[in-house]
Amino acid sequence: MELLDAHGSALSGFDWLVKAIGPADWARPTPNPGWSVRDLLNHLVAEQLWVPELLTGADLDEVGDSYDGDVLGDDPVGAWTTSSTEAREAWLRPGALEREVHLSYGLVPAAEFGWQMTLDLAVHGWDLAKGIGETSPLHEELAEALRRVFQPQVWRWQGTGIFAPPVPVSADAGAPARLLGLVGRHP
């Protein structure tokens, strides 16, 4: 599975879940300690808002704290729809994946950033599904592609607070469970 296909799949799955959030779901907890469904969505919307900026060459100082705090306002689903659509359009622009982007740890290839964003959408999609009592859209092909990209890097995450330490899963677990275990989720 290529990056843009994987990203599109993860984004589509997360989008489906956002549209499934019911009025009573916003305050429900997610597997992310201390995060409600609204907090989780706020995090993902803020991340989507960064994408067009970073893919057009902005650095962290230029963006600053523009997307800190509540970015959902009174229309969380609308905020998601607008930010995710603009982010996806930025990824699909010719040459977007050949650029370099400024991240907190330096200048990196946009494709590396794209895989990170795809992983975040997929894993947080599972978190959101758990929070609202829906089935996760994380499927075998997407999970296997992400696991293949990130398994060699998991040691870098230890102690950074990005993901919890890996948790064991059964030897016959499918790709979604193996990916979730890799990033410290209990599938």
Side-chain angles (χ1 to χ4, degrees):
M1 183 171 233
E2 298 295 322
L3 171 56
L4 290 177
D5 293 332
H7 179 266
S9 179
L11 185 72
S12 175
F14 196 87
D15 185 67
W16 174 82
L17 289 165
V18 169
K19 292 173 181 163
I21 297 171
D25 292 332
W26 293 105
R28 290 180 65 180
T30 68
N32 307 93
W35 278 11
S36 68
V37 167
R38 184 179 172 91
D39 296 329
L40 178 64
L41 184 59
N42 192 70
H43 169 71
L44 268 292
V45 168
E47 285 197 338
Q48 302 316 302
L49 291 168
W50 276 89
V51 171
E53 304 255 13
L54 294 177
L55 287 179
T56 56
D59 64 30
L60 302 183
D61 291 333
E62 291 172 312
V63 179
D65 61 2
S66 300
Y67 307 123
D68 289 354
D70 181 10
V71 294
L72 299 180
D74 294 333
D75 184 10
V77 175
W80 163 256
T81 300
T82 299
S83 66
S84 63
T85 299
E86 290 174 2
R88 181 66 179 168
E89 288 171 357
W91 284 116
L92 294 174
R93 286 189 192 113
L97 295 179
E98 283 79 45
R99 300 172 186 229
E100 290 189 326
V101 297
H102 296 272
L103 299 180
S104 61
Y105 56 92
L107 199 59
V108 301
E112 180 179 324
F113 175 52
W115 280 111
Q116 291 171 8
M117 294 294 290
T118 302
L119 177 67
D120 211 49
L121 284 163
V123 172
H124 284 317
W126 181 83
D127 294 334
L128 181 55
K130 289 290 185 192
I132 64 173
E134 286 288 344
T135 301
S136 170
L138 182 57
H139 56 84
E140 289 286 326
E141 184 181 16
L142 175 59
E144 185 56 34
L146 289 167
R147 198 177 67 76
R148 193 173 53 250
V149 169
F150 288 100
Q151 182 136 16
Q153 304 174 37
V154 74
W155 62 270
R156 294 183 198 166
W157 305 335
Q158 300 308 305
T160 65
I162 294 174
F163 291 112
V167 298
V169 296
S170 69
D172 62 344
R178 290 193 319 269
L179 175 67
L180 292 166
L182 182 67
V183 299
R185 299 303 196 271
H186 295 272

